[in-house]
Amino acid sequence: LFSLQNQIYKGHGLSKGKEREQRALIRFKTTLMNTLMDVLRHRPGWVEVKDEGEWDFYWCDVSWLRENFDHTYMDEHVRISHFRNHYELTRKNYMVKNLKRFRKQLEREAGKVEAAKCDFFPKTFEMPCEYHLFVEEFRKNPGITWIMKPVARSQGKGIFLFRRLKDIMDWRKGTAGKKLASLEAQPARSTVNPSGSHDTRGSDDQKDEIPVENYVAQRYIENPYLIGGRKFDLRVYVLVISYIPLRAWLYRDGFARFSNTRFTLSSIDDQYVHLTNVAVQKTSPDYHPEKGCKWMLQRFRQYLASKHGPEAVETLFRDMDNIFVKSLQSVQKVIISDKHCFELYGYDILSSLLFLPRWLLEVNASPSLTASSQEDYELKTCLLEDTLHVVDMEARLTGREKRVGGFDLMWNDGPVSREEGTPDLSGMGTFVTNTHLGCINDRKKQLRQLFRSLQGQKKASS
């Protein structure tokens, strides 16, 4: 497969990307020493640059982005792995604000039925600035469980569950006390510009001045769907190439992440019961490194189909498609859609009892690319190889592809149909979205066919 790709790479010959077409090598840079580095180093025609060397492709971390993006000139062909203000979707507080705003917009423009399609995130309050609103809601529903999460951390760090207002009062009086006092004494510095995006001077700079994190208080899902008595969530990968127009791909493979301990609400302090993050679970006393705590999505889909029937599973996965699209649409007008940028998102989704409803927990801008097992390594290797195929530094694709390896084109300035031709969106036809999450991923066969087809087009046009 690599030799076939390399033959096409050397020839190029497609009309798009003339500047890239003439480049002998793709110079890449990254600071991540994991599966990603393996994939980049083995890619035909790619060469690593270090330190201050010039690069064509940079899989950067978000700290580099924050410090350097606005001061870096990029040629037409250059690509980097994040959008400038990716945090509009990937910080928990901003994600909820954008979804709430988008829901109100849909209600005005399309009615309550369409707006209800955004009801896939739990009731959430930003802390400490919405503390008083939270207390009002808390007192309306005494006895339920809430979860506190830092807005910009990952791997389960800083998360805790609570049921008593005293617990949140202790948090309020502790590390958040100084910040809460300043917020109550002054107007909030975080502003929203006319386009609706958040001014970074009101978030990052303020965080530097007062070294205290914002949190979100979120209603805890007390009735999660369990397998073997254990809680799990789903990690799903979505690749966005452009926000204007919105062009998004959904990866067929992903995994369910399980807790090692049977679920119970009688012990809300046990993180091994309630947090499914691998970083948390691998510290559990009964964690088995070889066994791990993941199921691949194909296995998960087969399990559900055998227990509940294929129609119930189709409904579940269609509802997840709605989550992906609506969440991306909620930030479409506020994300800075730079042609140099792409983003590989890791979505975390939870199903509650009897599947309904589905909940979006968070969206990760830097999903873990470190493998926890051989099966995980193979999944992430294929995921990253296919990400590079879609980003297409080599300018081999025509732009009309609906599938590239394990990625299926889900949205291309509108829904993409599995069938060829113009989709019927009237509601009278049998429109089926071009997504195959958890289905068979014969990516090697598909890639061979794709590249042979492109090679044939090249020969025919020469």
Side-chain angles (χ1 to χ4, degrees):
L1 180 59
F2 271 133
S3 62
L4 177 60
Q5 294 172 11
N6 216 8
Q7 291 172 24
I8 302 169
Y9 169 73
K10 290 176 181 177
H12 290 299
L14 297 176
S15 60
K16 82 168 188 175
K18 290 183 179 179
E19 184 178 352
R20 284 184 283 161
E21 193 174 308
Q22 297 166 2
R23 303 190 70 82
L25 294 170
I26 303 296
R27 300 164 298 179
F28 76 84
K29 183 176 180 178
T30 186
T31 57
L32 303 178
M33 299 301 294
N34 51 31
T35 311
L36 174 66
M37 182 63 84
D38 293 346
V39 170
L40 291 171
R41 284 177 173 169
H42 286 91
R43 192 164 181 83
W46 288 49
V47 61
E48 183 179 2
V49 297
K50 296 181 179 179
D51 301 324
E52 300 304 314
E54 291 188 9
W55 43 269
D56 308 302
F57 179 95
Y58 188 10
W59 197 292
C60 61
D61 57 38
V62 294
S63 61
W64 179 92
L65 193 79
R66 184 171 58 247
E67 295 166 10
N68 298 283
F69 185 91
D70 292 336
H71 314 291
T72 303
Y73 171 77
M74 299 184 196
D75 287 333
E76 179 76 20
H77 69 285
V78 168
R79 296 291 180 270
I80 64 172
S81 60
H82 295 290
F83 288 94
R84 172 65 183 86
N85 58 337
H86 62 89
Y87 48 78
E88 294 286 353
L89 182 60
T90 58
R91 281 191 190 169
K92 301 172 185 72
N93 54 337
Y94 289 177
M95 180 189 81
V96 171
K97 284 181 179 178
N98 284 314
L99 282 167
K100 286 179 178 177
R101 189 196 67 249
F102 186 58
R103 191 191 189 289
K104 289 179 181 177
Q105 176 190 331
L106 285 177
E107 189 166 344
R108 287 194 309 270
E109 297 175 358
K112 291 184 178 181
V113 173
E114 189 65 24
K117 293 179 182 178
C118 288
D119 292 341
F120 48 72
F121 56 97
K123 190 174 284 291
T124 304
F125 298 89
E126 184 173 357
M127 306 291 273
C129 62
E130 293 183 333
Y131 174 77
H132 299 297
L133 291 174
F134 162 74
V135 170
E136 186 179 332
E137 180 67 26
F138 183 91
R139 286 174 173 158
K140 287 180 185 175
N141 299 279
I144 68 169
T145 309
W146 292 81
I147 185 168
M148 284 283 284
K149 304 176 183 179
V151 301
R153 282 205 266 177
S154 59
Q155 299 185 328
K157 295 172 183 174
I159 294 177
F160 64 92
L161 276 65
F162 65 96
R163 292 199 188 105
R164 301 176 303 168
L165 202 53
K166 179 184 181 299
D167 297 329
I168 202 71
M169 290 292 288
D170 292 343
W171 173 85
R172 182 188 187 221
K173 291 173 182 175
T175 57
K178 291 180 182 178
K179 187 167 187 179
L180 184 65
S182 71
L183 285 167
E184 290 178 338
Q186 304 171 14
R189 291 183 55 198
S190 180
T191 58
V192 178
N193 68 29
S195 69
S197 64
H198 297 84
D199 188 333
T200 56
R201 290 172 298 180
S203 54
D204 292 343
D205 290 353
Q206 186 174 358
K207 184 177 69 177
D208 293 339
E209 291 173 16
I210 307 174
V212 175
E213 297 174 273
N214 279 3
Y215 271 64
V216 290
Q218 202 167 63
R219 187 162 179 170
Y220 186 63
I221 308 304
E222 296 183 317
N223 60 339
Y225 185 87
L226 305 177
I227 295 180
R230 289 167 171 79
K231 180 181 174 181
F232 66 92
D233 66 5
L234 304 178
R235 166 57 59 87
V236 181
Y237 297 100
V238 174
L239 175 63
V240 176
I241 297 300
S242 164
Y243 270 99
I244 303 177
L246 181 59
R247 186 173 173 86
W249 300 73
L250 179 65
Y251 205 62
R252 294 188 174 197
D253 290 339
F255 48 84
R257 307 182 299 184
F258 286 83
S259 65
N260 274 294
T261 308
R262 292 179 70 85
F263 183 78
T264 175
L265 286 172
S266 62
S267 177
I268 63 172
D269 296 326
D270 189 341
Q271 61 179 351
Y272 300 125
V273 172
H274 301 284
L275 304 184
T276 59
N277 311 71
V278 175
V280 172
Q281 292 299 325
K282 70 182 181 181
T283 66
S284 170
D286 57 351
Y287 178 76
H288 299 286
E290 294 182 11
K291 190 176 178 182
C293 54
K294 294 180 180 178
W295 275 12
M296 294 299 107
L297 274 183
Q298 284 188 35
R299 180 181 177 185
F300 171 72
R301 186 166 187 148
Q302 290 167 358
Y303 171 85
L304 291 184
S306 66
K307 191 162 185 177
H308 302 282
E311 289 185 8
V313 175
E314 282 296 327
T315 300
L316 171 68
F317 282 74
R318 276 200 305 272
D319 285 355
M320 284 199 283
D321 292 344
N322 172 70
I323 290 176
F324 306 138
V325 171
K326 289 290 190 293
S327 60
L328 294 174
Q329 288 177 327
S330 76
V331 297
Q332 185 178 4
K333 293 182 179 178
V334 299
I335 292 282
I336 301 168
S337 185
D338 191 297
K339 64 185 177 183
H340 299 102
C341 304
F342 69 94
E343 194 95 40
L344 179 64
Y345 293 110
Y347 275 72
D348 292 342
I349 293 176
L350 180 73
S351 290
S352 58
L353 195 61
L354 300 178
F355 295 165
L356 292 170
R358 264 64 61 188
W359 301 104
L360 173 61
L361 300 180
E362 63 179 293
V363 183
N364 297 273
S366 302
S368 173
L369 300 176
T370 301
S372 59
S373 66
Q374 183 60 34
E375 188 177 41
D376 198 35
Y377 180 83
E378 291 170 3
L379 182 155
K380 288 173 179 173
T381 297
C382 295
L383 167 72
L384 290 167
E385 287 176 357
D386 293 345
T387 297
L388 298 182
H389 291 326
V390 174
V391 172
D392 193 27
M393 290 296 296
E394 300 91 343
R396 295 174 295 187
L397 304 180
T398 66
R400 297 186 297 273
E401 291 81 7
K402 290 168 64 172
R403 182 185 176 192
V404 177
F407 277 110
D408 296 294
L409 185 60
M410 172 174 58
W411 194 270
N412 188 19
D413 202 20
V416 180
S417 171
R418 289 186 191 178
E419 303 301 323
E420 296 300 326
T422 304
D424 177 9
L425 302 178
S426 64
M428 302 299 290
T430 56
F431 179 83
V432 180
T433 306
N434 184 45
T435 54
H436 303 266
L437 186 61
C439 295
I440 293 173
N441 185 10
D442 54 341
R443 57 177 295 275
K444 288 186 178 180
K445 177 181 177 182
Q446 194 275 338
L447 287 170
R448 288 192 189 98
Q449 292 174 340
L450 173 64
F451 289 124
R452 285 196 186 110
S453 174
L454 291 170
Q455 192 176 41
Q457 293 177 39
K458 176 192 165 214
K459 288 180 179 178
S461 62
S462 60

